[in-house]
Amino acid sequence: MRLLLTSAGIKNPSIHEALLGLLDRPVSECHALCIPTAMYGHPQAGPGAGAWRFIAGRSDEPMTELGWRSVGVLELTALPSIDEQYWVPLVKDADVLLVSGGDALYLSHWVRESGLAALLPSLTETVYVGMSAGSMVMAPRIGEYFVEWPPPSGDDAALRVVDFSIFPHVGHPMLPENTMAAAERWAAGLGGPAYAIDDDTAIVVADGAVEVVSEGQWRYFSG
């Protein structure tokens, strides 16, 4: 699996170009599945109009509205109640997974509970595009700074797909607490590598290599 981990979707030409590089073909030839699950666990994101805007391509964070050949919805909370034959082939046939923001630990819980976590290692040709919590969930930990929804485990562990954590939305005008100084304090408590990124920055993970693509500000913390 190739990863494009963003703070706020495909916000600028550099991130869009990185997406095309991972897809290795035009967006118009690719089938996408969008995953809105993280939104339901966050009081400021959904359920309701926010989830609809993400799915319908009406949000301020471009994901589903990029001109995909097709876009489907994969709701992780529903998957444990249906047979795998109805959804596993859809995931395997998708070229890209578009994963919304929201609550990272709520998303992590349902990625595991749904069975998607067990499927991820087999998706070697799939591109995963995360936004905010959809990016943070791939880390070993999200850090106590971001814990809102209390997971059954009682800790801040995420999926451990990558070996670094992510602090998104640095400098966002609606999130004045998300400063680079706050990110530095957050990183100091992680015990591992981390990136702080703004909405014009993304992290590409492909073939074992990590690359930052940015038209904004970011910082790496070695841990």
Side-chain angles (χ1 to χ4, degrees), residues 17 20 29 43 68 82 94 107 110 140 162-163 167 172 177 184 190 204 210:
E17 189 66 26
L20 293 178
E29 296 179 9
W68 306 103
I82 61 177
L107 176 59
W110 283 108
V162 299
D163 65 358
F167 186 113
H172 194 289
E177 69 277 12
E184 186 172 4
L190 289 174
V204 177
V210 178

Side-chain angles (χ1 to χ4, degrees), residues 119-141:
L119 189 61
L120 290 179
S122 69
L123 304 179
T124 56
E125 299 302 313
T126 307
V127 176
Y128 177 105
V129 182
M131 173 175 62
S132 192
S135 298
M136 297 164 67
V137 73
M138 305 306 270
R141 299 177 56 191

Side-chain angles (χ1 to χ4, degrees), residues 49-110:
W52 177 83
R53 285 193 294 267
F54 169 71
I55 294 169
R58 302 292 183 86
S59 74
D60 294 328
E61 294 83 27
M63 294 276 275
T64 61
E65 58 266 53
L66 300 178
W68 306 103
R69 184 172 181 180
S70 68
V71 179
V73 179
L74 187 71
E75 178 42 62
L76 302 186
T77 60
L79 300 187
S81 64
I82 61 177
D83 195 284
E84 288 187 352
Q85 67 177 315
Y86 296 117
W87 67 270
V88 169
L90 291 175
V91 175
K92 289 184 175 181
D93 289 343
D95 298 300
V96 60
L97 302 179
L98 307 172
V99 186
S100 79
D103 191 284
L105 293 184
Y106 184 81
L107 176 59
S108 179
H109 173 76
W110 283 108

Side-chain angles (χ1 to χ4, degrees), residues 175-192:
L175 299 167
E177 69 277 12
N178 279 23
T179 63
M180 196 62 80
E184 186 172 4
R185 292 191 294 272
W186 161 84
L190 289 174

Side-chain angles (χ1 to χ4, degrees), residues 5 7 76 78 80 92 121-122 149-150 176 189 205 209 211 213:
L5 305 177
S7 179
L76 302 186
K92 289 184 175 181
S122 69
W149 183 80
V205 183
E211 177 187 2
V213 176

Side-chain angles (χ1 to χ4, degrees), residues 5-25:
L5 305 177
T6 79
S7 179
I10 313 304
K11 291 287 281 188
N12 60 49
S14 296
I15 298 175
H16 191 272
E17 189 66 26
L19 173 63
L20 293 178
L22 293 173
L23 294 171
D24 199 28
R25 58 191 180 282

